[in-house]
Each structure stands twice: as structure tokens, then as C-alpha cells.
Amino acid sequence: MKLRNLIRLNWWATARLNYCAGGLSTLFRMPVKVYGKLRLDIKGKLILPENAQRNTLIIGSEHEDYTATARRAQLSLFGTWKIGGCVRIGIDSYVGIAKEALLEMQGNCFIGRDTQIHCFNRISFGEDVFAGELYVTDSDAHSIIKEGKRHEMYGEVTIGKGTYLGFRTILLKGTDIPPFSVVASGAVCCKNYRAHGHEKLLLAGVPACIKHTNTTALF
């Protein structure tokens, strides 16, 4: 490990998350690493791949070009965070998982700085998802009554394998993006796009709509 990384490593948060994921055996392997300050609340479960190797999950990762930090990262783990492979989350991000909620992230997920993930029910990232600064929530945060009918406050968010999410994309309750899609920067996604029966969609707009099909993200 480079000297700079040793200095930046948050040893206390790293130890707590590794121990939470599998006890002493996982603690000694250190598949989870936290860099920089992290406000950490743990009352839930962190599930890693079987025999997870070092650097499976990194919080405060410097995988982006712009890495100046306000040092305000936060993880509130009260439900379950299930990780299926290598995950990188940029600095100054917030991940909140409510009691009985499930956040699933498959391998090779690279999530940009200043991201906010608010999981109250279920949020699922497929493999090879790449995102810039991102806001995701599966809840309206309050009850909504339309035409005298109360709508369900909580839903799900699903991001298909190989999807590229542009800078400052917003994903709201009920979003389902099919595999290998591209979401334009600033788009607000709020419905089941997979229902259209296509992969490789180009989504853009507020609210986001399908601009093109058979789109491939190359990164």
C-alpha cells in the first residue's frame, strides 16, 4: 500500500466495516477500505462476496480526476448492504439504508463523488454500472394523494447491467433501467423503462424519456 494511502486510510471505520462483514477473519483480509472521514452508524448487515479479496469495497475512492474533498462522507447502515464484487464510491458521498431495506450492488460498480443513495425498501445496481454524481431514492419521503387515492410511499429502483448514468442523474421511486442503457446528464428517471422491451436505451430529459434504442455505452 502506498504511503499516501496509509495516511488517508480511516483505520477505525475500515476495521468496523470489515468486522461487521465477517468478524475477525474478514478484518484481517480487509476487503473493505475507507479513506478520509466517515460518519458511520451500523445496526444492519454488510454482505460481501464469499472469500472477498482486498479492495472489494472502497469508500472515499480517488478513482476520479477531481478529488478535492469537503470531508463529509456518511454511511448509515441499518438494513442490509449486499455487495457482489468490486465497488468504488467517490468521496463526500452518502449511503443510507433503512431498517429492513436492501441495497444490492454487483461487481465493477463505479459511483462518482457527492453521490446520495437513500434506500428505504430496495435499490439494485447490476454489474458494470458507471455513474457520475448521482442521487437515488426509492421513497417519496412523504405520502402522496392523487384523485383521492393514497399512493404507496416506497418502491424499488433497479439499474441494469452495463448502464452508464451521466453527471447529476436523479433516479426516483419506481425507476427500472434495462441493461446497457445510457442516461444523459441531469436526467430525472421515475418509471419502468424496461417495460418497453428493449435493452440499450438512451434516456434523457425531465422527466426522462426514451430518445433512442440500441445505444451502447463505451467506457
Side-chain angles (χ1 to χ4, degrees):
M1 188 183 296
K2 295 181 180 179
L3 178 59
R4 183 172 182 275
N5 287 340
L6 282 172
I7 295 173
R8 287 188 63 242
L9 190 66
N10 185 329
W11 291 95
W12 172 242
T14 295
R16 286 190 65 192
L17 284 173
N18 280 291
Y19 188 82
C20 172
L24 289 175
S25 61
T26 302
L27 175 61
F28 291 131
R29 291 203 313 273
M30 284 181 60
V32 180
K33 288 182 180 175
V34 177
Y35 291 101
K37 294 181 180 179
L38 175 70
R39 179 178 172 180
L40 183 59
D41 299 305
I42 303 178
K43 292 184 181 178
K45 294 186 292 185
L46 175 61
I47 302 174
L48 299 176
E50 187 175 353
N51 298 320
Q53 300 302 309
R54 185 166 294 183
N55 299 330
T56 295
L57 169 64
I58 295 181
I59 300 174
S61 170
E62 290 189 345
H63 62 273
E64 304 167 279
D65 293 332
Y66 178 43
T67 57
T69 175
R71 303 186 185 279
R72 58 171 181 263
Q74 182 173 347
L75 170 60
S76 297
L77 179 56
F78 296 96
T80 300
W81 189 2
K82 185 176 181 180
I83 295 171
C86 172
V87 172
R88 300 288 181 269
I89 298 178
I91 55 181
D92 297 342
S93 294
Y94 169 79
V95 177
I97 308 168
K99 185 178 180 181
E100 298 183 2
L102 173 62
L103 172 61
E104 294 181 291
M105 303 182 81
Q106 301 302 320
N108 295 321
C109 283
F110 289 80
I111 311 300
R113 60 171 292 135
D114 289 315
T115 284
Q116 293 189 41
I117 300 175
H118 300 263
C119 183
F120 295 91
N121 183 37
R122 183 169 183 172
I123 297 175
S124 177
F125 288 76
E127 292 182 322
D128 303 317
V129 171
F130 186 92
E133 182 181 328
L134 182 65
Y135 182 93
V136 188
T137 181
D138 58 3
S139 170
D140 293 323
H142 54 81
S143 296
I144 293 179
I145 299 176
K146 184 177 181 180
E147 297 178 350
K149 181 180 179 181
R150 185 182 298 272
H151 289 243
E152 180 64 42
M153 187 185 303
Y154 305 111
E156 296 187 5
V157 174
T158 303
I159 304 105
K161 175 181 179 180
T163 293
Y164 177 89
L165 303 169
F167 184 64
R168 290 185 177 172
T169 297
I170 298 176
L171 307 180
L172 302 178
K173 182 193 78 176
T175 296
D176 192 343
I177 300 173
F180 306 107
S181 294
V182 176
V183 181
S185 296
V188 178
C189 300
C190 55
K191 63 182 181 180
N192 182 0
Y193 302 94
R194 195 184 300 256
H196 294 272
H198 296 284
E199 294 185 349
K200 303 180 180 179
L201 300 182
L202 173 61
L203 306 175
V206 181
C209 59
I210 298 173
K211 298 296 185 180
H212 200 276
T213 60
N214 200 30
T215 298
T216 302
L218 299 175
F219 57 89

